[in-house]
Amino acid sequence: MKQFISTADVPSVPRLVDIALEYKKNPFKDRALGQDKTLGMIFLNPSLRTRLSTQVAAKNLGMEPIVFNIDKEGWQLEMNDGVIMNGNTSEHVKEAAAVMGQYFDILAIRTFPGLKNKEEDYTEKYINQFIKYAGVPVVSLESATLHPLQSLTDVITIKERWNEPRKPKVVMTWAPHVKALPQAVPNSFAQWINAWGEADFVITHPEGYELDEKFTNGARIEYNQEEALKDADFVYVKNWSSYRDYGKITCTDNSWMVDNEKLKNTNNAKVMHCLPVRRNVVIADEVLDGPNSIVIPEAGNRVWAAQAVLSEILKG
Amino acid sequence: MKQFISTADVPSVPRLVDIALEYKKNPFKDRALGQDKTLGMIFLNPSLRTRLSTQVAAKNLGMEPIVFNIDKEGWQLEMNDGVIMNGNTSEHVKEAAAVMGQYFDILAIRTFPGLKNKEEDYTEKYINQFIKYAGVPVVSLESATLHPLQSLTDVITIKERWNEPRKPKVVMTWAPHVKALPQAVPNSFAQWINAWGEADFVITHPEGYELDEKFTNGARIEYNQEEALKDADFVYVKNWSSYRDYGKITCTDNSWMVDNEKLKNTNNAKVMHCLPVRRNVVIADEVLDGPNSIVIPEAGNRVWAAQAVLSEILKG
Amino acid sequence: MKQFISTADVPSVPRLVDIALEYKKNPFKDRALGQDKTLGMIFLNPSLRTRLSTQVAAKNLGMEPIVFNIDKEGWQLEMNDGVIMNGNTSEHVKEAAAVMGQYFDILAIRTFPGLKNKEEDYTEKYINQFIKYAGVPVVSLESATLHPLQSLTDVITIKERWNEPRKPKVVMTWAPHVKALPQAVPNSFAQWINAWGEADFVITHPEGYELDEKFTNGARIEYNQEEALKDADFVYVKNWSSYRDYGKITCTDNSWMVDNEKLKNTNNAKVMHCLPVRRNVVIADEVLDGPNSIVIPEAGNRVWAAQAVLSEILKG
């Protein structure tokens, strides 16, 4: 594997899932693989799970993770070409990425979308600039439109809980939130579930919250949440802001929150969320504290997803 | 040892002190103990000694410390149950603690009191929420009411300097400060000196600064500083805000500052402080720069205290 | 080597350059040298290259780097003696440095000048306080008036590109900037090139930008940039604020920016800069994106400079 930004970089999603599950059984079997290798982890935005699980994954492979909060410990980067840099940006990504490429064997980056300029966000300008200039493999720790380490984790989490011959019904449902959030997690979940190909996949959300078809194509879209959730085996809950009316909150209907009542007509569905989750806004306490929630082991699987990705890149 | 929050978690204080002093002689003898183990160090507040000494202690044991300034690099945690999370908190401690418990073998946390709500602080709500949900052993890097790594260090520091058959006279004296500080260090020092049982222990402070008897019980309280300091072998200097008039500064009498004059009637007492110390407010330059101060080697002992605690938890 | 603040600490600059170039060929040959040793890296100011390259260098030597952003993760230090500390500073450097000296085998520190008080800056008050109280070798990660890891890197970068019997002509040229910057990099470059002694060294800048002669003595000063650049083999570009009119910007003449036109009469000169560089203010895009720029491999060499310095200090 040469980089890890989207499913397009992955020769086989099922194989990558298997590699991750092998690390879960035997975390230290490739301890020598990362010897004398460094992973630069560059944060332009906050992170908890991605940050900590990737550090642990790197150490499991004997690789040294070096974390750099460039937004707080460094300075603001210029992302646009040809600019006269007499403003607030102190360094161009051309230099910053290339220099970090001199220090690290793999460069991992987290960068959120601005949610103001759809084209800028959806061309993945920021992470693509890093890819262009780093000169070493780049791993996304979440970019403007995708969060592949999360989605690989989600596929792993479904797969390890499903032994039946039929495909599981996986329903991704929009839920309310107080802030305008990126579409990265739902875009990415759709892309990965589609690329995996082992699920009956349904997406439900209020009208106006349609995601970019480039990612959802192949999934059934159902505007009626109750109808969508019927017989679900896995319910993936997530808020996102509108893609059509870009970056806006166009629905504040709290009845979309997932509570036990919503799970009644499911097939005793397991409930997933990427976290952090706002309790009693996105998902009710009774669900998160009840037997259907698998959000904690889901987050735990982040380690094995990151370890699979880093190992495949180290193997080249 | 299952966790490290207070003396109640320690089977034998003298034994733990001995373990620490053995590490001081031979820092790397248990280098294999922490192999493939990770220590999550979560900071909700600033730290210098605790942070750096615990990192060094973990490395000495072959354990990987991973530091996370959750207040700056992550987001604000919700600590209350049943809340509709539509405000400033982005993640509930139920998820945050449980997820970090998935990544680390031991979770170490620093969290200060608010000094506004005595009951909330003294029930140790924050650290108890972490303990409840982490699922792995929790080590206090200072909590609302106690600072056990500091106090273990202080006992070590006294013990290694005392060879006489009689018990040393240890006097903890209140001193002035410009800010309202927690009672964690004095509470904890009292608890540990009492649990150690090898000192003649006196506490002196202005009236109104009485600490919670739960911690000081067994010590003699003396409101006259001069009287208290007579024949002292060790003088432990520390400011704290009022416990009775909770979190308030009720005395600004600068004559409580410790200078050489104050040491005249002591038994050439060694002077201790947890640091950071405001010079010429809490302790005079002449003391800190003179032969009686042991604050630097005291701070150095933080490594061995942390190493003893981590090793005992790793051993189970 | 006992410390690394300026050329005065280096027994032989050419020998140190050779050591660095040996590490570049064989980064892991001294992996055992730093075993069980810790490097404390203390930042009072932002950093990218210095921070990341020094971490990598320490790991290459088997040494553990522990990074501490004391300005953000700790608190403000008092640098003046005899002060009654009832203001904004929470800890005196006497304690902070001495305590960190208890935890680390080597202490590395970055501290910028205030650019307000020339005498305070040029006596290197801050880093000298650390040296005085740390009790262990101190490495400068850039101080008020010098940046020795950068300058050692620069000499390495010139040396590895020069095989002719004659000395290369090295020209350091002032360039415009929007902010008042320290003189640390140009002072240090002058000091190191002079100490190296293998270059024909010219400095060019507008009148009023003369640097402290203590560092530049031995170099030719030429106020005409075009004249200075003639036949240059290496052009070192850097902005600095006035030393004479201390910390002020006294020239805003954009014609000092280095573009391809400026390189015409050079000997196809290689262009260097310490980075970060403001594009199209200090150096034009056409130069930085063209074949004459060596700023990226120059930054890459920071690793070998740091590794040479740390190894020499570890060897005592």
Side-chain angles (χ1 to χ4, degrees):
Chain A
M1 212 155 58
K2 301 290 180 221
Q3 63 178 22
F4 185 73
I5 311 298
S6 80
T7 54
D9 302 309
V10 181
S12 160
V13 170
R15 175 76 194 114
L16 195 58
V17 170
D18 287 344
I19 292 169
L21 288 170
E22 285 159 25
Y23 280 125
K24 187 169 184 174
K25 273 186 236 142
N26 194 350
F28 306 111
K29 73 190 172 91
D30 281 339
R31 205 196 320 244
L33 188 62
Q35 164 132 34
D36 296 333
K37 304 285 184 188
T38 52
L39 171 69
M41 295 177 59
I42 313 303
F43 289 89
L44 287 86
N45 297 98
S47 173
L48 187 155
R49 275 150 287 274
T50 304
R51 177 188 185 101
L52 300 178
S53 64
T54 305
Q55 284 183 268
V56 172
K59 295 302 297 185
N60 286 352
L61 293 166
M63 188 180 204
E64 187 62 26
I66 293 181
V67 175
F68 184 47
N69 302 306
I70 197 170
D71 57 332
K72 299 182 193 72
E73 297 164 333
W75 35 73
Q76 210 182 326
L77 296 186
E78 178 61 53
M79 292 289 176
N80 295 306
D81 292 345
V83 173
I84 297 171
M85 288 173 60
N86 56 8
N88 291 325
T89 55
S90 298
E91 181 156 20
H92 201 282
V93 66
K94 284 187 184 183
E95 273 77 48
V99 168
M100 292 191 285
Q102 299 271 315
Y103 301 150
F104 303 118
D105 297 284
I106 301 177
L107 200 60
I109 298 153
R110 163 165 288 207
T111 163
F112 286 173
L115 289 182
K116 284 183 181 151
N117 181 331
K118 188 197 274 200
E119 202 203 318
E120 185 173 299
D121 290 345
Y122 272 73
T123 54
E124 289 283 4
K125 191 172 165 180
Y126 277 34
I127 203 162
N128 279 328
Q129 289 279 59
F130 275 96
I131 291 168
K132 190 168 173 187
Y133 296 111
V136 296
V138 170
V139 169
S140 167
L141 300 171
E142 186 171 345
S143 66
T145 71
L146 292 170
H147 193 353
L149 284 169
Q150 178 64 50
S151 308
L152 170 56
T153 300
D154 296 332
V155 175
I156 292 166
T157 304
I158 293 170
K159 161 136 192 193
E160 67 176 352
R161 277 166 183 74
W162 193 254
N163 296 309
E164 298 188 32
R166 71 171 174 91
K167 288 184 176 184
K169 181 175 176 185
V170 174
V171 181
M172 177 165 76
T173 180
W174 183 91
H177 202 282
V178 292
K179 285 189 176 175
L181 298 188
Q183 297 102 32
V185 168
N187 283 343
S188 195
F189 185 74
Q191 187 189 50
W192 280 77
I193 292 292
N194 282 330
W196 182 41
E198 301 291 325
D200 171 22
F201 185 34
V202 180
I203 304 174
T204 182
H205 53 68
E207 290 199 48
Y209 276 89
E210 292 75 13
L211 294 162
D212 187 345
E213 289 188 5
K214 164 171 71 172
F215 303 120
T216 60
N217 210 5
R220 179 155 66 87
I221 313 297
E222 168 60 65
Y223 296 110
N224 182 323
Q225 191 189 33
E226 190 181 345
E227 184 61 30
L229 291 173
K230 234 178 246 170
D231 301 323
D233 297 296
F234 294 88
V235 177
Y236 195 85
V237 192
K238 185 71 185 92
N239 169 270
W240 61 89
S241 63
S242 176
Y243 172 68
R244 189 195 293 170
D245 193 2
Y246 191 64
K248 294 289 183 300
I249 296 176
T250 60
C251 170
T252 56
D253 178 359
N254 289 331
S255 74
W256 280 81
M257 181 180 79
V258 172
D259 57 16
N260 277 342
E261 181 65 29
K262 293 276 168 71
L263 299 181
K264 267 197 176 164
N265 293 323
T266 67
N267 182 28
N268 192 24
K270 296 302 178 195
V271 175
M272 302 173 72
H273 191 281
C274 61
L275 307 180
V277 61
R278 286 179 175 245
R279 285 173 164 253
N280 305 313
V281 173
V282 177
I283 303 177
D285 273 347
E286 61 184 17
V287 174
L288 286 166
D289 297 332
N292 291 70
S293 169
I294 56 172
V295 300
I296 302 303
E298 180 187 0
N301 281 337
R302 294 291 305 269
V303 174
W304 321 116
Q307 197 167 341
V309 166
L310 292 175
S311 72
E312 286 301 287
I313 291 179
L314 285 172
K315 286 173 189 163
Chain B
M1 213 156 58
K2 301 291 179 220
Q3 64 178 23
F4 186 73
I5 310 299
S6 81
T7 54
D9 301 309
V10 180
S12 160
V13 169
R15 175 77 193 113
L16 195 58
V17 169
D18 286 344
I19 292 169
L21 288 171
E22 285 158 25
Y23 280 124
K24 186 167 185 175
K25 272 186 240 145
N26 195 349
F28 306 110
K29 73 191 173 92
D30 280 339
R31 204 198 318 248
L33 188 63
Q35 163 132 36
D36 296 334
K37 304 285 184 188
T38 52
L39 171 68
M41 295 175 60
I42 314 302
F43 288 89
L44 287 87
N45 297 97
S47 173
L48 187 154
R49 276 151 285 275
T50 304
R51 177 189 186 101
L52 300 177
S53 64
T54 306
Q55 285 184 267
V56 172
K59 294 304 297 186
N60 286 352
L61 294 166
M63 189 180 204
E64 186 63 25
I66 293 181
V67 174
F68 184 46
N69 302 305
I70 197 170
D71 56 332
K72 299 182 192 72
E73 298 164 333
W75 36 72
Q76 210 182 328
L77 297 185
E78 179 61 53
M79 291 290 175
N80 295 307
D81 292 345
V83 173
I84 298 171
M85 288 173 58
N86 55 8
N88 291 326
T89 57
S90 297
E91 180 156 22
H92 200 283
V93 67
K94 284 187 184 184
E95 274 76 48
V99 167
M100 292 191 284
Q102 299 271 314
Y103 300 149
F104 303 117
D105 296 284
I106 301 176
L107 200 59
I109 298 153
R110 164 165 288 207
T111 164
F112 286 173
L115 288 184
K116 284 183 182 150
N117 181 331
K118 187 197 273 200
E119 203 204 318
E120 186 173 297
D121 290 346
Y122 272 73
T123 54
E124 288 283 5
K125 192 173 166 182
Y126 276 35
I127 203 162
N128 280 328
Q129 289 280 58
F130 274 95
I131 291 168
K132 190 169 173 185
Y133 297 112
V136 295
V138 170
V139 169
S140 167
L141 301 171
E142 186 170 345
S143 66
T145 70
L146 292 169
H147 193 353
L149 285 169
Q150 179 64 51
S151 307
L152 170 56
T153 301
D154 296 330
V155 175
I156 293 165
T157 305
I158 292 170
K159 162 138 191 190
E160 67 176 350
R161 277 168 182 74
W162 193 253
N163 296 309
E164 299 188 30
R166 70 171 175 91
K167 290 184 176 183
K169 181 174 176 186
V170 175
V171 181
M172 176 165 76
T173 178
W174 183 90
H177 202 281
V178 292
K179 284 190 175 176
L181 298 188
Q183 296 102 33
V185 168
N187 283 343
S188 195
F189 185 74
Q191 186 190 51
W192 280 77
I193 293 292
N194 283 329
W196 181 43
E198 302 290 325
D200 170 22
F201 185 33
V202 179
I203 304 175
T204 180
H205 53 69
E207 289 198 50
Y209 275 89
E210 292 75 12
L211 294 163
D212 187 344
E213 289 188 5
K214 164 171 70 174
F215 303 118
T216 59
N217 210 4
R220 179 155 65 89
I221 312 298
E222 168 61 65
Y223 295 109
N224 182 322
Q225 191 188 32
E226 190 181 344
E227 183 60 32
L229 290 174
K230 233 178 248 169
D231 300 323
D233 297 296
F234 294 89
V235 177
Y236 196 86
V237 192
K238 184 73 186 88
N239 168 270
W240 60 89
S241 62
S242 176
Y243 171 69
R244 190 195 290 170
D245 193 2
Y246 191 63
K248 294 288 183 300
I249 296 177
T250 60
C251 171
T252 56
D253 178 0
N254 288 331
S255 75
W256 280 81
M257 181 179 80
V258 172
D259 55 16
N260 277 343
E261 180 66 30
K262 293 277 168 71
L263 299 181
K264 268 196 175 165
N265 293 323
T266 67
N267 183 27
N268 192 23
K270 296 300 177 195
V271 175
M272 303 173 70
H273 190 283
C274 61
L275 306 182
V277 61
R278 286 178 175 246
R279 283 173 166 253
N280 305 315
V281 174
V282 177
I283 303 177
D285 273 347
E286 61 184 16
V287 174
L288 286 166
D289 297 333
N292 290 71
S293 170
I294 56 171
V295 301
I296 302 304
E298 179 187 1
N301 280 338
R302 294 291 306 271
V303 174
W304 322 116
Q307 196 167 341
V309 166
L310 293 175
S311 72
E312 287 301 287
I313 292 179
L314 285 172
K315 287 173 188 164
Chain C
M1 213 156 59
K2 300 292 180 218
Q3 62 178 24
F4 186 73
I5 310 299
S6 81
T7 53
D9 302 309
V10 181
S12 160
V13 170
R15 175 77 193 116
L16 195 58
V17 169
D18 287 342
I19 292 169
L21 288 170
E22 285 159 25
Y23 281 125
K24 186 168 184 174
K25 273 186 238 142
N26 195 350
F28 306 110
K29 74 189 171 92
D30 280 339
R31 205 198 317 248
L33 188 63
Q35 163 132 34
D36 297 333
K37 303 286 184 188
T38 52
L39 171 69
M41 296 175 59
I42 314 303
F43 288 90
L44 287 87
N45 297 98
S47 173
L48 187 154
R49 276 150 286 273
T50 305
R51 177 188 186 101
L52 300 178
S53 64
T54 306
Q55 284 184 270
V56 172
K59 295 303 296 187
N60 286 352
L61 293 166
M63 187 179 204
E64 187 63 25
I66 293 181
V67 174
F68 184 46
N69 302 306
I70 198 170
D71 57 331
K72 300 182 192 71
E73 299 164 333
W75 36 72
Q76 210 181 325
L77 297 186
E78 178 60 53
M79 293 289 175
N80 295 308
D81 292 344
V83 174
I84 297 171
M85 288 174 58
N86 56 6
N88 292 325
T89 56
S90 299
E91 182 157 20
H92 201 282
V93 66
K94 284 187 184 184
E95 274 76 48
V99 168
M100 293 191 286
Q102 299 272 313
Y103 301 150
F104 303 118
D105 296 284
I106 300 176
L107 200 58
I109 298 153
R110 163 165 289 208
T111 163
F112 286 174
L115 288 183
K116 283 179 184 154
N117 180 331
K118 187 197 273 201
E119 201 203 319
E120 185 173 299
D121 290 345
Y122 272 72
T123 54
E124 290 283 4
K125 191 171 166 183
Y126 277 35
I127 203 161
N128 279 329
Q129 289 279 58
F130 274 96
I131 291 168
K132 189 169 175 187
Y133 296 112
V136 296
V138 170
V139 169
S140 166
L141 300 171
E142 186 171 344
S143 66
T145 70
L146 292 170
H147 193 353
L149 285 170
Q150 178 64 50
S151 308
L152 170 57
T153 300
D154 296 331
V155 175
I156 292 165
T157 304
I158 292 169
K159 161 137 193 189
E160 68 177 350
R161 277 168 181 75
W162 194 254
N163 297 309
E164 297 189 31
R166 70 173 174 90
K167 288 185 177 184
K169 180 174 177 187
V170 175
V171 181
M172 177 165 76
T173 177
W174 183 90
H177 202 282
V178 293
K179 284 189 176 176
L181 298 188
Q183 296 104 32
V185 168
N187 282 343
S188 196
F189 185 74
Q191 187 190 50
W192 281 76
I193 292 293
N194 283 330
W196 182 42
E198 302 291 325
D200 170 22
F201 185 33
V202 179
I203 304 175
T204 180
H205 52 69
E207 291 198 47
Y209 276 90
E210 292 76 12
L211 294 163
D212 187 345
E213 288 188 6
K214 163 171 72 174
F215 304 119
T216 58
N217 210 5
R220 178 156 66 89
I221 313 298
E222 168 60 66
Y223 296 109
N224 183 321
Q225 192 188 32
E226 191 182 342
E227 184 59 33
L229 290 173
K230 232 178 249 171
D231 301 322
D233 298 295
F234 294 89
V235 177
Y236 196 85
V237 192
K238 185 70 186 89
N239 169 270
W240 61 89
S241 62
S242 176
Y243 172 69
R244 189 194 293 172
D245 194 2
Y246 192 62
K248 294 288 183 300
I249 297 177
T250 60
C251 170
T252 57
D253 178 359
N254 289 330
S255 75
W256 279 82
M257 180 179 80
V258 172
D259 56 17
N260 277 343
E261 182 65 30
K262 293 276 169 71
L263 300 180
K264 268 197 175 164
N265 292 325
T266 67
N267 183 26
N268 192 25
K270 296 300 177 194
V271 175
M272 303 173 70
H273 191 281
C274 62
L275 305 181
V277 62
R278 287 178 174 246
R279 284 174 165 254
N280 304 314
V281 174
V282 177
I283 303 178
D285 273 347
E286 61 183 17
V287 175
L288 286 165
D289 297 334
N292 290 71
S293 169
I294 56 171
V295 301
I296 302 304
E298 180 188 1
N301 281 339
R302 295 290 306 269
V303 174
W304 322 118
Q307 196 167 342
V309 167
L310 293 175
S311 72
E312 287 302 286
I313 292 179
L314 285 172
K315 286 172 189 163

